[in-house]
Amino acid sequence: MSPEAAARERPRLTATPDNAGVDAAVAAARRVVAALLHTGGNSAAEMQDVAARLDAVADHLEQHAPPMADRMVDMWAGEGVTRHDPVTGPENAIAPPLALAGRDDGAIEGTTVLGLPYQGPPGFVHGGVSALLLDHTLGVANHWAGPSGMTAELTLRYHRTTPLFQPLTVTARQVSVDGRKIRTEGTITAGGEICVSAAGLFIAKQVPRPQ
Amino acid sequence: MSPEAAARERPRLTATPDNAGVDAAVAAARRVVAALLHTGGNSAAEMQDVAARLDAVADHLEQHAPPMADRMVDMWAGEGVTRHDPVTGPENAIAPPLALAGRDDGAIEGTTVLGLPYQGPPGFVHGGVSALLLDHTLGVANHWAGPSGMTAELTLRYHRTTPLFQPLTVTARQVSVDGRKIRTEGTITAGGEICVSAAGLFIAKQVPRPQ
């Protein structure tokens, strides 16, 4: 089987964006966020007009938003993958989004390319963004392996700068489970080289879902 | 002096948003990102139309964007605070944004309220978002104290869940400098209680700015 065919057959562990409804609007919002950074203060783009157009969209959406308590219940209904988190969520414009899939060896893996919104040092990914991606991916690796929980401790080691605008592979695997203590590790690699590694201690407990 | 007056007199260490130009458009984009999550799949909001309006804004901005290499030089020109980073940047819709100020005791501090885009467990801040805020704040604390550099190692401890929709105080201070090794600590507190603490090792080196 080709690597591409193998990847297609891996169980997808994160929500699949659909091209209709809110996911399409969120994908467009991601373009806006990146383009605002790319355009910068270019006055030819008439930013006051852009602001007015975006405010009009926000006004429209807010007028159709349910009470927050209702939305929280709806958002957390069902037992499937989340659609709103800031790493993999197709409904969250902050998320790249990273798509994660299970591998036969028990680890999970996803590939993404990060642009200007995720920049730290010039031309490189922000160290805190790498921490965000790894914390989330370690959590999904726990779900994939079995027992999962909440982060108690997370240690990140930065081996080399992580490039913007190039494919990054994010992987994680559950290493051990000892009572309620779960240990999980992961990396971000670029071109086969480890940029950031993470080791996390998770405690098997969950915040109750709103009802 | 009142606490409010003291806060006003603290040196501001992050960019001040202005109400014109790109900052206003980015503030509106933040509203859109949050409102998309709040509205969710509500069909009454006619998401295909929202997507079309946002894509039109992105098209317009992309048409006025300079070549990326030119934008990178412009973005990193000058020696002042950055305007584009994903934590404090008024030009980055991913940033809450967090405003940080220096305190007389050598630490730095800022307060923010995080909404739906930053959610991890139901009703609480994503652990990776806390890591992002703390990594960046530790870096700014180093700039404020003197020698600064890039994150080599970062350890986060999660003491309790960090609430959404409530004021969070983010603080950091440089603890020691030993040759090129810089040690820095910080916390996120809510209602005076520590939610997350961080300890970082930074190495005094910088990626060259694009020219």
Side-chain angles (χ1 to χ4, degrees):
Chain A
M1 196 185 306
S2 72
E4 292 74 17
R8 277 197 301 276
E9 301 212 349
R10 286 176 184 160
R12 183 162 171 136
L13 305 176
T14 47
T16 305
D18 57 48
N19 292 322
V22 66
D23 292 4
V26 171
R30 269 186 210 113
R31 288 185 62 208
V32 170
V33 171
L36 283 166
L37 274 164
H38 190 173
T39 312
N42 186 346
S43 60
E46 294 167 1
M47 286 296 174
Q48 288 292 4
D49 179 59
V50 170
R53 290 165 70 182
L54 293 173
D55 272 322
V57 171
D59 289 343
H60 173 79
L61 291 168
E62 288 172 5
Q63 283 158 16
H64 290 83
M68 185 63 80
D70 294 353
R71 175 64 182 133
M72 289 291 283
V73 171
D74 180 56
M75 181 179 265
W76 287 99
E79 290 299 316
V81 294
T82 60
R83 298 189 60 79
H84 56 261
D85 72 78
V87 175
T88 73
E91 296 181 9
N92 191 333
I94 285 184
L98 177 65
L100 294 166
R103 296 195 318 213
D104 289 343
D105 66 358
I108 68 168
E109 184 178 303
T111 300
T112 189
V113 175
L114 300 178
L116 288 181
Y118 307 97
Q119 185 176 223
F124 296 99
V125 176
H126 194 291
V129 169
S130 297
L132 169 60
L133 265 59
L134 281 164
D135 177 60
H136 194 83
T137 303
L138 267 56
V140 176
N142 287 332
H143 276 285
W144 174 237
S148 64
M150 294 175 64
T151 320
E153 192 172 311
L154 181 70
T155 299
L156 299 137
R157 292 190 176 79
Y158 296 87
H159 305 264
R160 54 175 57 78
T161 46
T162 305
L164 288 182
F165 309 122
Q166 292 180 32
L168 304 175
T169 300
V170 188
T171 61
R173 73 172 66 231
Q174 192 173 81
V175 175
S176 68
V177 178
D178 176 13
R180 297 177 65 207
K181 291 186 178 178
I182 301 163
R183 293 187 186 277
T184 318
E185 294 178 354
T187 59
I188 298 177
T189 59
E193 303 241 53
I194 294 180
C195 301
V196 188
S197 61
L201 168 64
F202 294 77
I203 302 298
K205 64 177 177 184
Q206 304 290 347
V207 171
R209 293 187 173 211
Q211 294 184 358
Chain B
M1 196 185 304
S2 72
E4 292 74 17
R8 276 197 301 278
E9 301 211 349
R10 286 176 184 158
R12 181 160 171 136
L13 304 176
T14 46
T16 305
D18 57 45
N19 292 322
V22 67
D23 293 4
V26 171
R30 269 186 209 111
R31 287 185 63 209
V32 170
V33 171
L36 283 166
L37 274 164
H38 189 174
T39 312
N42 186 344
S43 60
E46 293 166 2
M47 286 296 174
Q48 288 291 4
D49 179 59
V50 169
R53 289 164 71 182
L54 293 174
D55 272 323
V57 171
D59 289 343
H60 172 80
L61 289 169
E62 288 172 4
Q63 283 157 15
H64 290 84
M68 185 62 82
D70 294 353
R71 175 62 183 136
M72 289 291 282
V73 171
D74 180 56
M75 182 178 263
W76 288 99
E79 290 298 317
V81 293
T82 59
R83 298 188 60 79
H84 56 261
D85 70 78
V87 176
T88 74
E91 295 180 9
N92 191 334
I94 285 183
L98 176 65
L100 294 166
R103 296 195 318 213
D104 288 345
D105 66 358
I108 68 167
E109 185 177 303
T111 300
T112 191
V113 175
L114 300 179
L116 288 181
Y118 307 98
Q119 186 176 221
F124 296 99
V125 175
H126 194 290
V129 169
S130 296
L132 169 59
L133 265 57
L134 280 164
D135 177 60
H136 193 84
T137 303
L138 267 56
V140 175
N142 287 333
H143 276 285
W144 174 236
S148 63
M150 294 175 65
T151 320
E153 192 172 311
L154 181 70
T155 299
L156 299 137
R157 291 189 176 81
Y158 296 85
H159 304 266
R160 53 174 57 76
T161 47
T162 305
L164 288 182
F165 309 123
Q166 293 180 31
L168 304 175
T169 300
V170 189
T171 61
R173 74 173 65 230
Q174 192 174 81
V175 175
S176 69
V177 178
D178 176 13
R180 296 176 67 206
K181 291 187 178 179
I182 301 163
R183 293 188 186 273
T184 318
E185 295 179 354
T187 60
I188 298 177
T189 60
E193 303 241 52
I194 294 179
C195 301
V196 189
S197 61
L201 168 64
F202 293 78
I203 302 297
K205 65 177 176 185
Q206 303 290 346
V207 172
R209 293 184 174 214
Q211 294 185 358

